[in-house]
Amino acid sequence: MNIHLFLPELALLAGCLVAFCMTIGKAGKNGMRGAVFCAALAYTLAAVWALPFKGSLFYDAYRVDLFSQMVKCVMGAGFCLMLLFGGEIKGIEGDVKAEYYFFLLTALLGLTLLVSSVELITLFIALELSSYSLYLLVPMRSAPDGQTWHVEAAVKYLFFGVASSGIMLFGISWIFGLSGTTYLSTILPVLHTVSSQPVGVMALVMLLCGMFFKLAVFPFHFWTPDVYQGASNETTAFISALPKVAAVAVMARFCALAAPDSVALPTLLTVLSVCSMFYGNLTALVQKDVKRMLGFSGIAHAGYILLGMVTLKAWGFATALYYGIGYLFMMLTAFLVLYTVAPNGGNVSVKNLNGLSRRSPLLAFIMTVSMFALAGIPPFAGFMGKFMLLTSAYKSGYVLLVIIAAINTAIGIYYYLQVVRAVYAEDDASSADTPLTTEAGTRIAGICLVGITLALGIMPETVVNMAYKAMQAAW
């Protein structure tokens, strides 16, 4: 086996082993955080070093190429920045903090294995590894003000996740029955011939259900607002960002299984996209809890991502991946502020952000950049991402879908700018004169996230061209 191809995964596995051993003893929370950060940094550097490598492992069930390595680099960078949010973890029960870090690392390991898996059983196991790690993270939150949101959120997350996994496994059995294999490269030519038939479409749609759940696509979205609100701020930051990029990457591999002239699958994706955009944006308009608002807006952003998938072309997949990468950093930017502002790890309402510009000009600026980017205002990543997605859909003939997406973008601007108005135009007399102190790691992470969000918007061609080359190399 070529060890250098598996080096990022080995770094994570070593980190998981160290973290597990530290959970057995009495490791301090800072020592645990440092160990996990070192493992994540080693993983990220190994993924960057392995970018030009290409090869297959484990009897061709695991593929290392530009496509998978690019996604691993992004997830590693995002995870490292998330660990810099603060010096002390907030909102997690004190006696499970060591285990919390361990499951964060295993969730990242599962997502890493997911993006390189090109065999359905291997892919399903990787998906379950990441999913069950996240299921365990949600109930670890300490009860804020005696509330039990986290328990309800954990139950809903588990039940909906298990249901989507069951449907996906059923789809795998159908695809195996149609093709006689579980290797994607062998399935590709078979499904190209049957993807226009009802049985082929149903098999592919059921296979996509696991990714629809990760992306929070309508109607697999029901868990999203409750989990975002009930989970701790750190857990929600992870759930809202990293799994989305992995899901976009895997969906691109799956959608490539359909014939380029297929009609049924793009039609279904179009319907799901429209429903996701309207439901997410219209419901987000009335939300007062910022995390819950971001949960509903995440459903709408899943609809935007599907704009690239309906094209069934490599360029559409590349723009969807670019938008997923930008969305990861936009969400982490927002949650850095929520993490810092939240008292004792509690939830933050829009009113809690009143007067933030007076308490911390830096955090106010970071929050404004995040909201502008999510709203699709130039020159940030959200604008270029939406522009490229709309362009790719328009060139493929989906004019009505483009118009609907543009209308939804306008709707989204309203509730994002509500947050900006609270940050700058509202005053909270009780806390406006109380400055917020930020640690060095928080400031570094905030500046890095703002810089990345701005760079992705100003220079999108670098990432999009790499994603396009990666998508072509994926098969």
Side-chain angles (χ1 to χ4, degrees), residues 370-446:
S370 173
M371 294 298 104
F372 278 9
L374 288 168
I377 297 174
F380 303 107
F383 169 76
M384 287 307 304
K386 287 187 175 70
F387 176 76
M388 290 185 175
L389 286 171
L390 292 174
T391 302
S392 62
Y394 177 79
K395 289 182 178 179
S396 298
Y398 295 94
V399 180
L400 181 59
L401 181 58
V402 169
I403 295 172
I404 292 173
I407 293 172
N408 275 274
T409 300
I411 296 172
I413 291 175
Y414 176 79
Y415 58 80
Y416 288 126
L417 292 188
Q418 270 193 327
V419 177
V420 178
R421 184 187 67 176
V423 168
Y424 283 100
E426 302 284 350
D427 285 329
D428 185 353
S430 62
S431 61
D433 296 326
T434 306
L436 275 173
T437 58
T438 55
E439 299 187 8
T442 303
R443 295 192 293 272
I444 293 172

Side-chain angles (χ1 to χ4, degrees), residues 47-313:
V48 173
W49 177 72
L51 267 175
F53 297 155
K54 186 175 181 180
S56 297
L57 302 169
F58 309 117
Y59 299 98
D60 296 330
Y62 198 82
R63 177 179 295 172
V64 174
D65 52 23
L66 180 61
F67 182 76
S68 62
Q69 299 307 99
M70 178 182 176
V71 178
K72 292 173 190 176
C73 290
V74 172
M75 291 194 301
F79 188 71
C80 288
L81 290 171
M82 194 188 83
L83 291 175
L84 289 175
F85 276 13
E88 181 180 357
I89 192 169
K90 298 186 291 186
I92 301 297
E93 294 284 356
D95 55 347
V96 296
K97 285 186 176 181
E99 288 78 5
Y100 179 84
Y101 282 118
F102 169 69
F103 286 122
L104 270 182
L105 212 54
T106 56
L108 179 61
L109 175 62
L111 295 175
T112 299
L113 299 175
L114 184 66
V115 297
S116 279
S117 299
V118 290
E119 193 268 336
L120 294 179
I121 303 301
T122 308
L123 187 144
F124 182 78
I125 293 173
L127 177 65
E128 293 304 285
L129 174 62
S130 66
S131 296
Y132 277 90
S133 298
L134 295 178
Y135 299 155
L136 291 169
L137 289 177
V138 175
M140 287 184 178
R141 182 181 189 180
S142 55
D145 302 324
Q147 299 292 335
T148 57
W149 296 332
H150 60 298
V151 178
E152 179 184 352
V155 172
K156 288 184 178 180
Y157 197 22
L158 175 62
F159 282 178
F160 281 110
V162 169
S164 65
S165 296
I167 297 172
M168 183 180 179
L169 195 59
F170 193 37
I172 290 175
S173 68
W174 275 36
I175 288 181
F176 179 75
L178 288 170
S179 62
T181 181
T182 56
Y183 284 86
L184 295 183
S185 58
T186 312
I187 292 170
L188 184 64
V190 177
L191 275 192
H192 268 191
T193 61
V194 299
S195 60
S196 297
Q197 302 174 12
V199 63
V201 173
M202 284 299 298
L204 191 53
V205 168
M206 286 192 291
L207 184 63
L208 287 170
C209 282
M211 299 307 108
F212 288 157
F213 171 77
K214 287 289 186 185
L215 274 177
V217 173
F218 182 95
F220 296 89
H221 67 279
F222 291 104
W223 61 273
T224 310
D226 293 315
V227 170
Y228 275 44
Q229 184 180 18
S232 67
N233 295 327
E234 301 90 334
T235 306
T236 309
F238 188 100
I239 293 173
S240 67
L242 275 73
K244 302 295 179 70
V245 181
V248 172
V250 176
M251 273 192 68
R253 288 194 193 269
F254 284 171
C255 289
L257 296 175
D261 57 350
S262 176
V263 176
L265 182 61
T267 301
L268 177 62
L269 293 177
T270 299
V271 173
L272 295 181
S273 175
V274 172
C275 293
S276 298
M277 288 187 290
F278 273 119
Y279 178 82
N281 281 320
L282 293 177
T283 314
L285 287 173
V286 296
Q287 302 304 315
K288 303 303 180 185
D289 185 285
V290 179
K291 287 202 299 179
R292 195 171 181 87
M293 182 201 76
L294 291 174
F296 281 110
S297 76
I299 300 169
H301 284 281
Y304 299 139
I305 288 172
L306 292 183
L307 290 172
M309 299 297 172
V310 298
T311 64
L312 299 183
K313 296 177 182 176

Side-chain angles (χ1 to χ4, degrees), residues 15-47:
C16 289
L17 181 60
V18 172
F20 176 74
C21 293
M22 294 180 75
T23 62
I24 298 174
K26 296 183 178 180
K29 54 181 178 296
N30 291 331
M32 190 68 170
R33 192 183 190 95
V36 172
F37 180 79
C38 289
L41 185 61
Y43 161 76
T44 306
L45 294 176

